[in-house]
Amino acid sequence: MANKLSLKIITPTRNMFEGEVDMVVMRTKSGDVGILHGHQPMVTILDYGVLTIKNDGEDRQAAVLGGFAEISSEGMSVLTDAAEWSNEIDVVRAEQAKERAEARLKTVQANIDVQRAELSLKRALVRLSLGGRK
Amino acid sequence: MASMRDIKRRIKSVSSTQQITKAMNLVASSKLNRAKARFNDTKPFFSATQRVIGNVVKGSKGVSSIFMRESEGKKTLVVVVTGDRGLCGGYNSNVCKTGMEIISKKADACVIAVGNKAREFFRHKNVKIAEAYRDVSEKPSYSEAYTIGQKIIDMYEKGEADEVYFVYTEFITTLTNEPKAIKLLPLDPEDFKGDDSEPHSSTLTIYEPDEEAVLDYVIPKYINTVLFGGMVESAVCELSSRMTAMDSATENASEMIEHLNLVYNRVRQGAITQEITEIVSGSNALE
């Protein structure tokens, strides 16, 4: 395969991934999008979701929690606040976070708490969806 | 002249101080290595975010964002990053002075103090403190930068501040670092035009959902990133200036001990000479 997409995944604290891949599938605000080599330049906002890297018939998955992706002629960079490979996810912690968030949503208080609880529930669900099927 | 016992006591106290400064120097230098590694890890994210904003700003003429509106500079917010603790040379006071310079030029200014020393300094100067954060300086995390960024954006959106400056310390080498002030908000599109080396096909770029949404999303991210980068850099500076300060303190203590030893020996010699003179004169008197 000559035509590969060069991909970088960067979080504030580390360079998570840098290399050539066949295809990237990610969850944007408007749905799942797959990116191949030679894509038109694009900037898109990412939702909380699973990012799949397809390379030589192998899949590698990561939980990506927000951020944005930039695709230019040189390649693609994913900039995110937090991201974890599927094997790095702490399932127990995510499970606890999920329960906590659900409990908080049941006892509705101020508006801002609901938003925060919903966000942390979303984060926990993304992590669990990956961590569970390792 | 001080008595022998006094000098002895003095030497003891200086050398125990020296032990402390030496230990602090070692602690700071090992922490510095770790902080430097963190600093290098944050760089790529920072430059990539800046590039994306640059591309969006350049490629999209006439996009309006509240983060780019003209400001009158009436209500100024200054974010100052210092350490929580002293004993690091001029590090804390240099940053605070730079912050104060901006504040003294503005009619209405308030401060977000990151680090204990900034809070103490501005409280002493009677500057209004909008918010103070502590226990962040040595090992800043992104979530802390996020909290601070959120606070800034909140104040900006509510109109409690219409321009925001960020004062931190720039790391040049281990021996030199300089306080630096940058304007965080409103964002000046001109700032991003300079770093354009390759001609960009930005007119063809797709923005999802649209340019303004991307800008409104990316700019707060950018602010968080700048804050985080500045905090990490300041941590490196704090540790390096503590290291140099403690290094010179240890050296000064050595010099002082050397000098005190000299005085001590001289006093001891004097006492012995005196004793001999007394004995000799005593035996002379008996003869």
Side-chain angles (χ1 to χ4, degrees):
Chain A
M1 286 279 273
N3 287 343
K4 290 214 175 191
L5 174 73
S6 82
L7 170 75
K8 274 189 219 162
I9 304 180
I10 310 171
T11 74
T13 44
R14 64 174 174 161
N15 255 340
M16 196 163 139
F17 183 86
E18 196 166 351
E20 308 272 299
V21 299
D22 287 334
M23 181 175 167
V24 180
V25 180
M26 59 189 177
R27 170 77 48 90
T28 73
K29 285 275 182 203
S30 36
D32 277 359
V33 171
I35 306 290
L36 294 165
H37 170 79
H39 195 281
Q40 187 181 0
M42 181 166 96
V43 177
T44 178
I45 302 173
L46 300 179
D47 203 353
Y48 292 166
V50 175
L51 181 136
T52 311
I53 298 168
K54 291 180 189 290
N55 196 23
D56 298 331
E58 273 178 42
D59 282 12
R60 200 167 175 201
Q61 291 187 308
V64 173
L65 308 172
F68 58 92
E70 183 211 16
I71 298 144
S72 68
S73 47
E74 293 125 50
M76 173 172 171
S77 341
V78 175
L79 298 155
T80 169
D81 289 351
E84 284 149 24
W85 292 118
S86 50
N87 56 4
E88 290 169 351
I89 292 170
D90 187 341
V91 181
V92 180
R93 202 182 135 223
E95 197 83 60
Q96 283 166 352
K98 184 187 156 206
E99 278 161 22
R100 227 182 9 248
E102 278 171 347
R104 212 174 293 157
L105 282 175
K106 271 176 201 152
T107 56
V108 178
Q109 291 165 349
N111 199 23
I112 193 136
D113 275 336
V114 175
Q115 269 180 15
R116 273 180 56 188
E118 269 170 2
L119 283 180
S120 69
L121 180 60
K122 235 170 145 184
R123 277 199 294 270
L125 287 176
V126 168
R127 286 193 171 118
L128 283 176
S129 72
L130 256 189
R133 68 172 122 104
K134 229 179 275 191
Chain B
M1 198 178 255
S3 78
M4 269 163 72
R5 210 156 45 134
D6 284 342
I7 298 172
K8 199 112 204 224
R9 203 180 286 149
R10 191 78 208 283
I11 291 174
K12 222 173 168 182
S13 106
V14 172
S15 65
S16 66
T17 309
Q18 188 189 27
Q19 267 174 8
I20 295 170
T21 57
K22 213 175 196 168
M24 282 182 78
N25 178 22
L26 290 175
V27 170
S29 66
S30 82
K31 276 184 181 167
L32 176 66
N33 284 333
R34 256 177 293 158
K36 265 188 189 160
R38 283 164 60 86
F39 177 47
N40 286 332
D41 285 344
T42 59
K43 266 184 181 163
F45 188 81
F46 178 73
S47 49
T49 319
Q50 198 169 31
R51 199 187 59 237
V52 172
I53 297 200
N55 286 344
V56 180
V57 172
K58 264 179 287 166
S60 53
K61 297 253 149 44
V63 166
S64 65
S65 165
I66 66 154
F67 298 113
M68 293 204 286
R69 69 181 170 204
E70 294 281 310
S71 76
E72 293 158 16
K74 272 185 181 158
K75 287 176 187 162
T76 312
L77 175 67
V78 185
V79 184
V80 183
V81 182
T82 65
D84 281 334
R85 277 176 290 175
L87 287 181
C88 46
Y91 166 77
N92 286 322
S93 66
N94 286 344
V95 200
C96 289
K97 268 182 215 153
T98 313
M100 203 61 213
E101 255 169 52
I102 298 173
I103 292 165
S104 58
K105 284 181 207 148
K106 305 288 175 184
D108 184 9
C110 60
V111 164
I112 290 185
V114 183
N116 245 350
K117 289 285 163 184
R119 203 192 64 196
E120 283 165 17
F121 179 88
F122 290 107
R123 196 168 51 187
H124 187 68
K125 297 265 180 193
N126 285 326
V127 178
K128 203 168 83 195
I129 294 171
E131 190 78 63
Y133 299 90
R134 47 178 298 182
D135 294 332
V136 287
S137 69
E138 246 173 40
K139 234 179 149 195
S141 74
Y142 187 72
S143 64
E144 280 149 356
Y146 180 83
T147 319
I148 299 166
Q150 228 39 39
K151 171 79 187 164
I152 294 170
I153 290 160
D154 195 42
M155 285 180 73
Y156 185 77
E157 278 175 344
K158 278 184 192 157
E160 288 168 28
D162 65 358
E163 55 174 0
V164 181
Y165 289 89
F166 179 49
V167 185
Y168 69 104
T169 311
E170 192 184 16
F171 181 76
I172 301 165
T173 65
T174 311
L175 292 172
T176 45
N177 39 53
E178 242 167 46
K180 198 178 168 191
I182 53 172
K183 194 171 186 181
L184 218 51
L185 282 173
L187 217 59
D188 189 357
E190 297 295 322
D191 286 353
F192 296 99
K193 283 183 178 152
D195 57 330
D196 178 32
S197 45
E198 84 263 39
H200 227 276
S201 54
S202 41
T203 41
L204 292 172
T205 308
I206 317 168
Y207 293 99
E208 274 205 25
D210 57 61
E211 287 172 357
E212 281 176 24
V214 169
L215 267 189
D216 283 346
Y217 183 81
V218 173
I219 290 174
K221 280 261 139 47
Y222 170 72
I223 289 167
N224 295 342
T225 317
V226 173
L227 284 175
F228 182 58
M231 280 158 67
V232 173
E233 198 166 349
S234 292
V236 174
C237 293
E238 184 189 347
L239 291 168
S240 74
S241 41
R242 177 163 297 134
M243 202 180 88
T244 28
M246 287 303 114
D247 197 39
S248 63
T250 311
E251 216 163 273
N252 289 343
S254 304
E255 254 169 51
M256 210 162 157
I257 290 172
E258 209 172 291
H259 171 75
L260 284 172
N261 266 330
L262 212 68
V263 176
Y264 175 75
N265 286 337
R266 211 172 283 150
V267 172
R268 192 174 64 106
Q269 191 66 56
I272 294 169
T273 314
Q274 199 185 352
E275 216 167 296
I276 291 175
T277 324
E278 274 163 15
I279 293 170
V280 169
S281 60
S283 66
N284 276 347
L286 284 178
E287 275 169 19

